Amino acid sequence: MTDWQELESKYYMQVVVRTPVTLVKGEGARVWDDKGKEYLDFVAGWAVNSLGHSHPVVAEAVAEQARTLVQTSNQYYTIPQVQLAELLVKNSCMDRVFICNSGLEANEGAVKLARRYGHIKLKGAYEVITTINSFHGRSLAMTAATGQDKFHTPYIPLPVGFMSSVKYNDIEAIKAATTDKTCAIMLEPVQGEGGVNVPDDDYLKKVREWCDSKGILLILDEIQTGIGRLGALWGYQLYGIEPDIMTLAKGLGSGIPIGALLAKESASVFAPGDHGSTFGGNPVTSAAACAVLEYVIKNDIHGNVKKVGQYLMEGLQKLKKKYSFITEVRGRGFLVAIEFDNDIAQDVLMACLEKGLLVNKLKPGAIRLIPPLIVGNKEIDLAIGVLDDVFSGFVK
Ligand SMILES: *Cc1c(COP(=O)(O)O)cnc(C)c1O
């Protein structure tokens, strides 16, 4: 049998520490490796496979569109792109959409839009406030926007125009960082990669009020939290506010690479030529995202996340009571972290892998569970069972 992992180490840039398994097939919440072993997937392509793997509505939409029309450039009108934009607008508080290919692109677009807004309406204000432990993507600008030093250090000097060392869940820190150069504040409703950090219930409301009082924009990065992951279609709905700009990607295409930048009419200041993309909103990716969004809305998948997410949290709380080395379980919906009192996350991940459960290492001392949005109590029971089994091996 081909040793794909050895070939990878020879040919691929070594930018990520991979889990030693080669996946060849997926269906629903399950994946199989090249030796035929089955796994329950609580990583879901990093919170991407919202409808699980190879969902028939996604597969059909892609296949049919691929047979019909794949790419035209944005010089022309195409139907799936307009359908997706309408679907997003009719089911959110937003008025206009720009479709791109990934999360970082959506955020780049958001920051460009906020800068245009600053040029036009705020006397040239350009700076965007972001928070410590945020994650906004891997381009140079989004690296600068990301409030984690480990992403900055290798790439200094970084683009200017970001104030990224502001404490999360602290309105006073935002107030103190705001100057006449500030055009926007960019936040995740719940911080994902940076630790699954859930803010106080009134934090976003206070930020919204602050933005209104200063006339600056609120950008919500819902790349990880959008499309139902927190148990509501959009994260902002849980906090009783509306952003001026919102970005989406991960769950939008259930695995088909697509991102979206959405804005209220009042913030939608791009003019022809200001922004663009060769592939963005291509018929195939747009058709896939339409299929995903229609399915999520019609079947109340976010309602499933809310219900089953509570069940997951109850199961994890029981594990926390049982194992004293678990210091915290936290999160909302299907974005959940388990924190340990020492750096055992990699060992836990490997033990779970051995027993057929895929989990994500969030940091040396914490794992993250981000299952497909379609899993039910049965899959939760299976996952909790494996975790229980694994944790019992860590009792000293
Ligand atoms: C994953 C992620 C991004 C970056 O998305 P890419 O598609 O990897 O560029 C940005 N913001 C948040 C909150 C994310 O979770």
Side-chain angles (χ1 to χ4, degrees):
M1 196 188 268
T2 309
D3 191 336
W4 298 106
Q5 294 170 31
E6 197 180 302
L7 285 182
E8 190 271 358
S9 71
K10 184 168 175 208
Y11 292 117
Y12 207 76
M13 289 196 192
Q14 299 294 292
V15 293
V16 60
V17 181
R18 300 198 199 242
T19 299
V21 59
T22 305
L23 300 177
V24 294
K25 189 171 112 98
E27 192 186 319
R30 286 179 170 71
V31 289
W32 287 264
D33 71 13
D34 58 346
K35 297 180 182 72
K37 183 172 170 181
E38 181 182 316
Y39 303 86
L40 181 60
D41 183 5
F42 271 39
V43 177
W46 287 341
V48 166
N49 301 100
S50 40
L51 304 186
H53 295 272
S54 307
H55 195 285
V57 302
V58 182
E60 265 314 305
V62 169
E64 196 188 323
Q65 191 58 49
R67 283 192 293 263
T68 310
L69 183 70
V70 172
Q71 161 77 6
T72 64
S73 89
N74 282 305
Q75 191 176 329
Y76 307 101
Y77 296 89
T78 51
I79 296 167
Q81 182 183 91
V82 180
Q83 286 174 327
L84 177 58
E86 183 182 30
L87 205 52
L88 285 166
V89 166
K90 288 199 165 157
N91 290 284
S92 74
C93 67
M94 293 298 171
D95 299 312
R96 285 190 186 274
V97 179
F98 174 85
I99 304 171
C100 53
N101 312 290
S102 67
L104 82 83
E105 277 187 64
N107 282 344
E108 288 271 349
V111 169
K112 283 174 77 178
L113 187 60
R115 281 206 187 177
R116 286 302 296 139
Y117 189 89
H119 286 201
I120 296 165
K121 308 214 171 173
L122 301 172
K123 302 194 177 89
Y126 61 87
E127 195 164 73
V128 175
I129 293 175
T130 61
T131 55
I132 296 170
N133 290 326
S134 59
F135 183 82
H136 297 298
R138 299 285 206 152
S139 65
L140 277 174
M142 287 312 112
T143 296
T146 292
Q148 301 186 53
D149 286 343
K150 68 175 184 206
F151 292 110
H152 293 181
T153 318
Y155 301 109
I156 286 166
L158 293 173
V160 296
F162 296 97
M163 168 67 77
S164 67
S165 55
V166 177
K167 215 170 145 211
Y168 188 65
N169 195 27
D170 182 343
I171 185 63
E172 295 311 320
I174 282 183
K175 288 182 179 175
T178 306
T179 69
D180 57 3
K181 296 272 174 289
T182 309
C183 67
I185 296 167
M186 179 158 79
L187 299 170
E188 296 155 85
V190 171
Q191 288 184 331
E193 317 298 301
V196 185
N197 305 313
V198 183
D200 295 339
D201 287 342
D202 61 354
Y203 174 58
L204 286 182
K205 206 167 234 160
K206 286 181 187 159
V207 178
R208 176 73 270 180
E209 282 164 14
W210 179 248
C211 288
D212 289 342
S213 75
K214 291 283 156 186
I216 59 181
L217 299 174
L218 175 58
I219 304 170
L220 283 189
D221 177 345
E222 293 236 24
I223 287 164
Q224 188 156 162
T225 55
I227 326 289
R229 181 146 299 275
L230 299 184
L233 191 54
W234 316 113
Y236 69 76
Q237 294 170 318
L238 294 171
Y239 295 99
I241 58 128
E242 294 183 355
D244 302 296
I245 297 173
M246 171 165 85
T247 54
L248 301 174
K250 292 198 163 83
L252 181 57
S254 195
I256 304 302
I258 188 165
L261 160 66
L262 294 84
K264 295 260 197 197
E265 194 65 53
S266 53
S268 199
V269 295
F270 278 153
D274 281 353
H275 195 48
S277 170
T278 297
F279 293 122
N282 149 312
V284 174
T285 56
S286 296
C290 277
V292 171
L293 204 52
E294 272 167 3
Y295 188 93
V296 166
I297 292 163
K298 193 163 145 233
N299 296 284
D300 189 24
I301 296 299
H302 37 300
N304 179 67
V305 173
K306 187 170 179 210
K307 207 172 69 216
V308 181
Q310 269 156 16
Y311 187 68
L312 169 64
M313 197 46 95
E314 283 161 23
L316 293 176
Q317 290 294 358
K318 278 187 202 142
L319 291 180
K320 178 173 178 278
K321 280 212 185 84
K322 188 164 169 190
Y323 299 104
S324 62
F325 59 85
I326 300 177
T327 55
E328 195 185 8
V329 295
R330 59 176 180 272
R332 278 191 98 145
F334 280 178
L335 175 54
V336 172
I338 309 173
E339 185 98 30
F340 308 113
D341 67 0
N342 59 64
D343 292 350
I344 57 170
Q346 184 63 26
D347 296 336
V348 168
L349 179 152
M350 289 304 292
C352 286
L353 182 74
E354 168 77 29
K355 294 184 192 307
L357 174 69
L358 303 185
V359 300
N360 173 248
K361 181 175 134 189
L362 186 61
K363 44 188 177 178
I367 60 166
R368 180 172 47 158
L369 305 179
I370 33 180
L373 309 182
I374 46 143
V375 307
N377 290 5
K378 202 172 111 228
E379 286 87 2
I380 300 298
D381 286 340
L382 278 170
I384 296 282
V386 171
L387 288 169
D388 195 358
D389 202 7
V390 164
F391 291 155
S392 66
F394 284 82
V395 177
K396 285 178 206 111

